[in-house]
mmCIF file of all heavy atoms in Angstrom:
data_model
loop_
_atom_site.group_PDB
_atom_site.id
_atom_site.type_symbol
_atom_site.label_atom_id
_atom_site.label_comp_id
_atom_site.label_asym_id
_atom_site.label_seq_id
_atom_site.Cartn_x
_atom_site.Cartn_y
_atom_site.Cartn_z
ATOM 1 N N GLY C 28 62.202 113.973 83.882
ATOM 2 C CA GLY C 28 62.930 114.076 82.624
ATOM 3 C C GLY C 28 64.434 114.113 82.828
ATOM 4 O O GLY C 28 65.188 113.491 82.078
ATOM 5 N N GLY C 29 64.888 114.824 83.872
ATOM 6 C CA GLY C 29 66.324 114.882 84.141
ATOM 7 C C GLY C 29 66.904 113.544 84.532
ATOM 8 O O GLY C 29 67.968 113.147 84.043
ATOM 9 N N CYS C 30 66.213 112.815 85.405
ATOM 10 C CA CYS C 30 66.712 111.504 85.844
ATOM 11 C C CYS C 30 66.683 110.494 84.700
ATOM 12 O O CYS C 30 67.632 109.711 84.527
ATOM 13 C CB CYS C 30 65.867 110.992 87.015
ATOM 14 S SG CYS C 30 66.058 111.943 88.526
ATOM 15 N N ALA C 31 65.618 110.500 83.912
ATOM 16 C CA ALA C 31 65.520 109.566 82.788
ATOM 17 C C ALA C 31 66.589 109.856 81.742
ATOM 18 O O ALA C 31 67.248 108.948 81.231
ATOM 19 C CB ALA C 31 64.128 109.643 82.163
ATOM 20 N N GLY C 32 66.792 111.133 81.428
ATOM 21 C CA GLY C 32 67.807 111.489 80.444
ATOM 22 C C GLY C 32 69.213 111.129 80.892
ATOM 23 O O GLY C 32 70.055 110.749 80.080
ATOM 24 N N ALA C 33 69.466 111.229 82.200
ATOM 25 C CA ALA C 33 70.800 110.913 82.718
ATOM 26 C C ALA C 33 71.135 109.441 82.554
ATOM 27 O O ALA C 33 72.307 109.075 82.422
ATOM 28 C CB ALA C 33 70.895 111.311 84.195
ATOM 29 N N ILE C 34 70.117 108.583 82.561
ATOM 30 C CA ILE C 34 70.378 107.159 82.340
ATOM 31 C C ILE C 34 71.019 106.952 80.969
ATOM 32 O O ILE C 34 71.987 106.189 80.820
ATOM 33 C CB ILE C 34 69.076 106.348 82.470
ATOM 34 C CG1 ILE C 34 68.592 106.372 83.923
ATOM 35 C CG2 ILE C 34 69.273 104.902 82.005
ATOM 36 C CD1 ILE C 34 67.262 105.680 84.140
ATOM 37 N N TYR C 35 70.529 107.671 79.967
ATOM 38 C CA TYR C 35 71.107 107.554 78.630
ATOM 39 C C TYR C 35 72.452 108.275 78.529
ATOM 40 O O TYR C 35 73.416 107.753 77.962
ATOM 41 C CB TYR C 35 70.131 108.111 77.594
ATOM 42 C CG TYR C 35 70.687 108.142 76.202
ATOM 43 C CD1 TYR C 35 71.064 106.965 75.559
ATOM 44 C CD2 TYR C 35 70.851 109.339 75.513
ATOM 45 C CE1 TYR C 35 71.583 106.984 74.276
ATOM 46 C CE2 TYR C 35 71.366 109.369 74.230
ATOM 47 C CZ TYR C 35 71.734 108.188 73.616
ATOM 48 O OH TYR C 35 72.259 108.215 72.364
ATOM 49 N N THR C 36 72.542 109.478 79.094
ATOM 50 C CA THR C 36 73.788 110.236 79.051
ATOM 51 C C THR C 36 74.941 109.438 79.657
ATOM 52 O O THR C 36 76.034 109.343 79.080
ATOM 53 C CB THR C 36 73.630 111.562 79.810
ATOM 54 O OG1 THR C 36 72.621 112.349 79.174
ATOM 55 C CG2 THR C 36 74.934 112.345 79.830
ATOM 56 N N LEU C 37 74.705 108.843 80.814
ATOM 57 C CA LEU C 37 75.760 108.095 81.486
ATOM 58 C C LEU C 37 76.013 106.742 80.823
ATOM 59 O O LEU C 37 77.095 106.177 80.978
ATOM 60 C CB LEU C 37 75.426 107.933 82.968
ATOM 61 C CG LEU C 37 75.358 109.261 83.735
ATOM 62 C CD1 LEU C 37 75.024 109.023 85.198
ATOM 63 C CD2 LEU C 37 76.665 110.044 83.609
ATOM 64 N N SER C 38 75.044 106.231 80.084
ATOM 65 C CA SER C 38 75.303 105.036 79.272
ATOM 66 C C SER C 38 76.296 105.362 78.163
ATOM 67 O O SER C 38 77.209 104.584 77.876
ATOM 68 C CB SER C 38 73.992 104.503 78.673
ATOM 69 O OG SER C 38 73.151 103.967 79.661
ATOM 70 N N MET C 39 76.121 106.529 77.532
ATOM 71 C CA MET C 39 77.078 106.970 76.517
ATOM 72 C C MET C 39 78.463 107.177 77.114
ATOM 73 O O MET C 39 79.473 106.786 76.539
ATOM 74 C CB MET C 39 76.601 108.260 75.855
ATOM 75 C CG MET C 39 75.621 108.071 74.733
ATOM 76 S SD MET C 39 75.599 109.521 73.647
ATOM 77 C CE MET C 39 75.048 110.780 74.767
ATOM 78 N N ALA C 40 78.499 107.825 78.285
ATOM 79 C CA ALA C 40 79.784 108.052 78.939
ATOM 80 C C ALA C 40 80.455 106.730 79.302
ATOM 81 O O ALA C 40 81.672 106.576 79.173
ATOM 82 C CB ALA C 40 79.588 108.901 80.195
ATOM 83 N N ALA C 41 79.665 105.757 79.725
ATOM 84 C CA ALA C 41 80.218 104.446 80.083
ATOM 85 C C ALA C 41 80.837 103.758 78.877
ATOM 86 O O ALA C 41 81.850 103.056 79.001
ATOM 87 C CB ALA C 41 79.121 103.565 80.684
ATOM 88 N N SER C 42 80.256 103.954 77.696
ATOM 89 C CA SER C 42 80.811 103.310 76.503
ATOM 90 C C SER C 42 82.209 103.837 76.204
ATOM 91 O O SER C 42 83.109 103.081 75.838
ATOM 92 C CB SER C 42 79.883 103.524 75.299
ATOM 93 O OG SER C 42 79.846 104.887 74.907
ATOM 94 N N GLY C 43 82.424 105.154 76.377
ATOM 95 C CA GLY C 43 83.754 105.708 76.185
ATOM 96 C C GLY C 43 84.710 105.371 77.315
ATOM 97 O O GLY C 43 85.915 105.347 77.127
ATOM 98 N N GLU C 44 84.172 105.119 78.493
ATOM 99 C CA GLU C 44 84.985 104.752 79.640
ATOM 100 C C GLU C 44 85.529 103.336 79.522
ATOM 101 O O GLU C 44 86.639 103.037 79.959
ATOM 102 C CB GLU C 44 84.124 104.873 80.903
ATOM 103 C CG GLU C 44 84.795 104.504 82.205
ATOM 104 C CD GLU C 44 83.829 104.597 83.359
ATOM 105 O OE1 GLU C 44 83.170 105.651 83.492
ATOM 106 O OE2 GLU C 44 83.707 103.626 84.133
ATOM 107 N N LEU C 45 84.745 102.436 78.896
ATOM 108 C CA LEU C 45 85.112 101.020 78.838
ATOM 109 C C LEU C 45 85.744 100.597 77.522
ATOM 110 O O LEU C 45 86.463 99.603 77.466
ATOM 111 C CB LEU C 45 83.873 100.152 79.093
ATOM 112 C CG LEU C 45 83.204 100.304 80.464
ATOM 113 C CD1 LEU C 45 81.919 99.481 80.514
ATOM 114 C CD2 LEU C 45 84.151 99.892 81.571
ATOM 115 N N PHE C 46 85.452 101.328 76.414
ATOM 116 C CA PHE C 46 85.859 100.869 75.086
ATOM 117 C C PHE C 46 86.588 101.973 74.323
ATOM 118 O O PHE C 46 86.411 103.160 74.586
ATOM 119 C CB PHE C 46 84.639 100.404 74.281
ATOM 120 C CG PHE C 46 83.860 99.303 74.939
ATOM 121 C CD1 PHE C 46 82.689 99.585 75.638
ATOM 122 C CD2 PHE C 46 84.299 97.989 74.882
ATOM 123 C CE1 PHE C 46 81.973 98.577 76.257
ATOM 124 C CE2 PHE C 46 83.588 96.970 75.494
ATOM 125 C CZ PHE C 46 82.416 97.265 76.185
ATOM 126 N N SER C 47 87.380 101.558 73.342
ATOM 127 C CA SER C 47 88.073 102.488 72.458
ATOM 128 C C SER C 47 88.184 101.860 71.070
ATOM 129 O O SER C 47 87.836 100.699 70.874
ATOM 130 C CB SER C 47 89.473 102.810 73.004
ATOM 131 O OG SER C 47 90.289 101.636 73.008
ATOM 132 N N GLY C 48 88.658 102.660 70.108
ATOM 133 C CA GLY C 48 88.910 102.149 68.762
ATOM 134 C C GLY C 48 87.711 101.483 68.119
ATOM 135 O O GLY C 48 86.587 101.984 68.167
ATOM 136 N N ALA C 49 87.947 100.318 67.513
ATOM 137 C CA ALA C 49 86.883 99.596 66.817
ATOM 138 C C ALA C 49 85.778 99.167 67.769
ATOM 139 O O ALA C 49 84.597 99.147 67.412
ATOM 140 C CB ALA C 49 87.466 98.370 66.107
ATOM 141 N N ALA C 50 86.145 98.819 69.005
ATOM 142 C CA ALA C 50 85.125 98.414 69.987
ATOM 143 C C ALA C 50 84.198 99.573 70.325
ATOM 144 O O ALA C 50 83.005 99.370 70.570
ATOM 145 C CB ALA C 50 85.794 97.881 71.249
ATOM 146 N N LEU C 51 84.711 100.793 70.322
ATOM 147 C CA LEU C 51 83.867 101.954 70.582
ATOM 148 C C LEU C 51 82.863 102.153 69.460
ATOM 149 O O LEU C 51 81.696 102.495 69.700
ATOM 150 C CB LEU C 51 84.736 103.198 70.761
ATOM 151 C CG LEU C 51 84.005 104.507 71.062
ATOM 152 C CD1 LEU C 51 83.146 104.379 72.320
ATOM 153 C CD2 LEU C 51 85.006 105.658 71.210
ATOM 154 N N LEU C 52 83.298 101.941 68.217
ATOM 155 C CA LEU C 52 82.356 101.999 67.099
ATOM 156 C C LEU C 52 81.278 100.932 67.236
ATOM 157 O O LEU C 52 80.095 101.170 66.968
ATOM 158 C CB LEU C 52 83.087 101.828 65.773
ATOM 159 C CG LEU C 52 83.811 103.061 65.212
ATOM 160 C CD1 LEU C 52 84.623 102.663 63.995
ATOM 161 C CD2 LEU C 52 82.815 104.146 64.857
ATOM 162 N N ARG C 53 81.681 99.728 67.684
ATOM 163 C CA ARG C 53 80.707 98.650 67.830
ATOM 164 C C ARG C 53 79.706 98.946 68.934
ATOM 165 O O ARG C 53 78.506 98.717 68.761
ATOM 166 C CB ARG C 53 81.432 97.326 68.099
ATOM 167 C CG ARG C 53 82.249 96.815 66.930
ATOM 168 C CD ARG C 53 82.742 95.389 67.156
ATOM 169 N NE ARG C 53 83.631 94.995 66.075
ATOM 170 C CZ ARG C 53 84.952 94.884 66.178
ATOM 171 N NH1 ARG C 53 85.539 95.123 67.333
ATOM 172 N NH2 ARG C 53 85.691 94.518 65.144
ATOM 173 N N ILE C 54 80.175 99.431 70.081
ATOM 174 C CA ILE C 54 79.241 99.728 71.161
ATOM 175 C C ILE C 54 78.320 100.873 70.764
ATOM 176 O O ILE C 54 77.134 100.879 71.113
ATOM 177 C CB ILE C 54 79.984 100.036 72.493
ATOM 178 C CG1 ILE C 54 78.986 100.189 73.653
ATOM 179 C CG2 ILE C 54 80.830 101.288 72.382
ATOM 180 C CD1 ILE C 54 78.222 98.970 74.000
ATOM 181 N N SER C 55 78.826 101.844 69.990
ATOM 182 C CA SER C 55 77.963 102.914 69.499
ATOM 183 C C SER C 55 76.900 102.362 68.557
ATOM 184 O O SER C 55 75.739 102.789 68.579
ATOM 185 C CB SER C 55 78.795 103.990 68.787
ATOM 186 O OG SER C 55 79.695 104.616 69.677
ATOM 187 N N GLY C 56 77.312 101.384 67.722
ATOM 188 C CA GLY C 56 76.333 100.740 66.853
ATOM 189 C C GLY C 56 75.300 99.955 67.637
ATOM 190 O O GLY C 56 74.102 99.982 67.325
ATOM 191 N N LEU C 57 75.742 99.251 68.681
ATOM 192 C CA LEU C 57 74.805 98.500 69.522
ATOM 193 C C LEU C 57 73.866 99.435 70.270
ATOM 194 O O LEU C 57 72.675 99.130 70.439
ATOM 195 C CB LEU C 57 75.577 97.627 70.515
ATOM 196 C CG LEU C 57 76.228 96.371 69.933
ATOM 197 C CD1 LEU C 57 77.153 95.725 70.959
ATOM 198 C CD2 LEU C 57 75.160 95.374 69.485
ATOM 199 N N ILE C 58 74.389 100.571 70.730
ATOM 200 C CA ILE C 58 73.525 101.558 71.374
ATOM 201 C C ILE C 58 72.449 102.037 70.410
ATOM 202 O O ILE C 58 71.268 102.154 70.754
ATOM 203 C CB ILE C 58 74.369 102.746 71.893
ATOM 204 C CG1 ILE C 58 75.152 102.318 73.141
ATOM 205 C CG2 ILE C 58 73.499 103.952 72.208
ATOM 206 C CD1 ILE C 58 76.133 103.366 73.638
ATOM 207 N N SER C 59 72.852 102.295 69.163
ATOM 208 C CA SER C 59 71.877 102.732 68.165
ATOM 209 C C SER C 59 70.855 101.644 67.864
ATOM 210 O O SER C 59 69.659 101.918 67.717
ATOM 211 C CB SER C 59 72.602 103.148 66.878
ATOM 212 O OG SER C 59 71.684 103.613 65.916
#
């Protein structure tokens, strides 16, 4: 459970690491 959950947690962190502003909203929408 810890390893599987970290895949998602670090995917979220990667979105903030790579994108900002409107692109961050878009990547959050794509994640959803």
Side-chain angles (χ1 to χ4, degrees):
C30 292
I34 292 176
Y35 175 62
T36 298
L37 297 180
S38 291
M39 276 201 298
S42 67
E44 179 183 309
L45 298 175
F46 302 100
S47 65
L51 181 57
L52 280 173
R53 292 190 186 106
I54 186 65
S55 297
L57 285 170
I58 286 173
S59 182

